[in-house]
Amino acid sequence: MIRVLLLVVFLTVSAVQARGPVYVVLWFDTEDYIEPLSDEAALRLATDLRQLGVKATFKVVGQKARVLEKRGRKDVIAALRWHEIGYHTDFHSVPPAPAVYLRMMDGVTGSEEFIRREQAGLKDVSRIFGVKPSCYGQPGSSWAPQTNSALRRMGIPMYLDEGSHVGVGHQPFWFGGLFYVFDMGLYVMRASLDADDFEASCRRFDEAAAELSAKGGGVISIYYHPCEFVTTEFWDGVNFSHGADPGPAEWKRPRVRAKEDSERCYQILNRYVKHALANPAVRFVTGSQLMSFYQPGLAGHKVDRKVVADHMTARQTFLVVDKTSLSAADMLLLLLGVEPRLVEGPASEGKTTYTADSVDRRRFDKAKAETVAFVKAHGRLPATVWLGSDMLSLEDLAATLASDAGGTGAVAIKKGNPEFRDNVAKDPEKTYGWVIHPKGFRAPELLDLARLQAWTLKPAVLRSP
Ligand SMILES: [Zn+2]
């Protein structure tokens, strides 16, 4: 009997080891600074999860942190701090939302403006919780690419949220130098607090976990808002819909749930988390823990140059080879002989004006040298390079450089194929749909800017166990 039992244990353990880990990142957008009952909800959730030994990530709004401090809720602050703290903007839904003001701005100006508007909130959350937030996520669907460089400069290395603006295979990726958990598709899930779908949610979770585990491991993203457990409508929807901007004296409180109904909601999450915990492949992690299980964004260039050249000749997009993930930007730098470094995508769309089908080597070498100098001076890829008085777009330069076999003769010009653009959404209205945005809001400019930044896009790769 014992032998059989040992065998079963051994088989189970080896089955788990052969398969990959399933990391579950559970996050709460902690944002309602109007209804005080939301404070109780945050406390209750933090306490319940701690009892289950599960660390979640609470992304806190600046004004929410200040309100907790003002209401003397040291208990809530301490309970949340046991978990992990992220940042979720200073005022969340007070207009203008990030995408609304950033839509009008280029990469550099937008990044500076985001910092100007958000640094006070970040400072307050850091001071009140006594920790530096590990991650950021936008309010609603108000995502914008300028936040990438802004967040890096603010010392936040991770983007944790959900949206469909940009993504890679519904798993974590690197974008603009940030580690992203975003656009998780079927791997973003939750048990509904109101629809009667608990059993179906558990089944979906099991299926997703089995799939990821069989693929060698991956991430499931689960999110809630503490306010959902105590109110039946969102605190911001009742005040700031379609860009409305009432003053604090006019703020209305959302409708609240009956006490028993809240209790029912807490139980749903409790049972859902317990269900997930029962799966031996599953491990709950915070945002920063998750990031530590992935290889860093800047891997060394140990990849064969020829593999990169062949890939970049045909298409400019990311490549994973020998567990090393390379963005189109990484590979362009490799082909240019530049040490791995973090760069921004080009600031604007470049157009080729050069019409001949080849260029003499002297001018091509000069264009390469100028590209390297530009990257080193600006930390960004150029939109175009000069061949005499004519220009070559960056993707055409990349394809030409990749297909060039060297030597002394003329260099054949090759047309670029920037496939990385396909990872950015095309619908500027649906992606920005959110009741808080002004009616009919669309932001094609932000998606265009994201397509330029997608030179830096690449899948994140789990570290070897
Ligand atoms: Zn939010």
Side-chain angles (χ1 to χ4, degrees):
M1 182 61 197
I2 285 178
R3 266 213 322 236
V4 173
L5 201 65
L6 279 177
L7 186 68
V8 169
V9 168
F10 174 76
L11 286 177
T12 314
V13 167
S14 34
V16 170
Q17 279 172 347
R19 321 186 88 195
V22 177
Y23 298 114
V24 176
V25 57
L26 170 61
W27 47 283
F28 294 92
D29 282 354
T30 312
E31 56 191 50
D32 176 0
Y33 43 82
I34 292 180
E35 173 52 59
L37 267 182
S38 294
D39 303 352
E40 306 303 331
L43 177 61
R44 170 72 186 266
L45 290 164
T47 311
D48 279 5
L49 289 167
R50 184 173 179 169
Q51 273 165 11
L52 293 173
V54 165
K55 273 196 194 243
T57 302
F58 288 83
K59 282 158 56 199
V60 183
V61 163
Q63 179 66 3
K64 174 74 177 180
R66 289 186 293 268
V67 158
L68 284 172
E69 186 181 46
K70 220 169 118 201
R71 291 179 186 147
R73 298 307 303 261
K74 285 189 182 146
D75 53 343
V76 183
I77 293 164
L80 265 53
R81 194 174 44 202
W82 183 82
H83 296 267
E84 186 163 295
I85 302 300
Y87 182 56
H88 192 40
T89 73
D90 202 6
F91 287 96
H92 199 281
S93 295
V94 173
V100 175
Y101 68 83
L102 289 173
R103 183 176 73 86
M104 323 291 289
M105 295 181 175
D106 62 49
V108 175
T109 324
S111 168
E112 283 168 0
E113 178 62 2
F114 182 83
I115 293 174
R116 184 190 72 76
R117 284 178 176 271
E118 294 297 340
Q119 61 192 358
L122 178 64
K123 218 171 134 191
D124 282 342
V125 171
S126 308
R127 175 182 60 78
I128 290 164
F129 284 88
V131 287
K132 182 105 208 216
S134 65
C135 57
Y136 166 86
Q138 82 281 347
S141 62
S142 220
W143 177 87
Q146 297 99 325
T147 55
N148 289 346
S149 63
L151 291 166
R152 281 203 330 267
R153 282 155 69 192
M154 292 160 91
I156 296 183
M158 177 176 185
Y159 205 105
L160 175 60
D161 214 298
E162 185 48 32
S164 56
H165 311 75
V166 56
V168 182
H170 303 318
Q171 282 295 296
F173 57 93
W174 292 94
F175 186 45
L178 292 189
F179 180 74
Y180 262 76
V181 176
F182 198 75
D183 189 38
M184 294 290 282
L186 286 171
Y187 302 112
V188 61
M189 49 181 61
R190 46 190 273 151
S192 170
L193 300 182
D194 292 305
D196 189 15
D197 70 347
F198 186 77
E199 299 305 325
S201 305
C202 290
R203 268 201 311 278
R204 270 202 306 280
F205 180 91
D206 294 342
E207 282 161 19
E211 237 175 78
L212 288 171
S213 187
K215 277 191 223 163
V219 177
I220 289 175
S221 179
I222 299 178
Y223 73 94
Y224 290 90
H225 305 73
C227 59
E228 287 177 80
F229 292 77
V230 287
T231 63
T232 55
E233 52 188 357
F234 267 89
W235 63 279
D236 55 349
V238 296
N239 289 292
F240 306 105
S241 277
H242 308 302
D245 183 25
E250 302 161 72
W251 290 348
K252 290 193 287 255
R253 288 168 68 170
R255 274 194 288 267
V256 299
R257 290 184 191 272
K259 216 166 179 272
E260 316 75 70
D261 195 36
S262 286
E263 191 55 39
R264 183 188 57 79
C265 295
Y266 294 127
Q267 290 311 324
I268 287 177
L269 181 62
N270 237 275
R271 283 164 56 210
Y272 191 49
V273 170
K274 279 183 183 157
H275 175 82
L277 282 170
N279 183 327
V282 164
R283 178 162 171 201
F284 278 84
V285 292
T286 64
S288 65
Q289 284 171 340
L290 180 68
M291 194 170 161
S292 73
F293 296 131
Y294 278 82
Q295 291 181 27
L298 272 187
H301 287 172
K302 284 166 287 180
V303 181
D304 183 22
R305 190 183 193 281
K306 176 151 183 359
V307 173
V308 168
D310 288 348
H311 174 82
M312 288 285 274
T313 298
R315 57 185 60 84
Q316 295 81 55
T317 191
F318 49 80
L319 173 69
V320 179
V321 54
D322 299 334
K323 292 209 93 186
T324 299
S325 186
L326 298 160
S327 67
D330 291 337
M331 288 183 278
L332 178 60
L333 295 188
L334 184 149
L335 293 172
L336 287 166
V338 177
E339 281 298 295
R341 63 168 67 203
L342 190 59
V343 289
E344 301 272 334
S348 59
E349 173 93 52
K351 288 258 180 306
T352 291
T353 60
Y354 188 80
T355 50
D357 52 16
S358 70
V359 62
D360 64 88
R361 192 154 296 273
R362 180 193 65 83
R363 273 191 296 165
F364 188 66
D365 284 346
K366 190 174 162 198
K368 274 162 54 180
E370 279 183 359
T371 308
V372 171
F374 186 102
V375 165
K376 288 186 174 168
H378 303 301
R380 178 180 350 118
L381 299 174
T384 53
V385 290
W386 293 97
L387 294 176
S389 301
D390 282 307
M391 289 178 294
L392 211 53
S393 71
L394 189 64
E395 56 265 26
D396 289 353
L397 170 80
T400 302
L401 176 61
S403 63
D404 176 38
T408 53
V411 179
I413 301 292
K414 178 113 176 82
K415 195 113 200 63
N417 174 22
E419 269 186 12
F420 54 74
R421 291 181 185 167
D422 299 343
N423 289 72
V424 177
K426 290 184 181 68
D427 186 336
E429 199 166 328
K430 227 157 110 193
T431 44
Y432 284 98
W434 183 34
V435 67
I436 303 304
H437 282 154
K439 268 197 173 121
F441 178 70
R442 50 206 304 284
E445 302 87 347
L446 294 178
L447 296 179
D448 286 344
L449 202 54
R451 272 183 278 276
L452 294 168
Q453 289 299 315
W455 274 93
T456 67
L457 191 69
K458 58 182 173 182
V461 176
L462 276 168
R463 288 178 192 269
S464 302

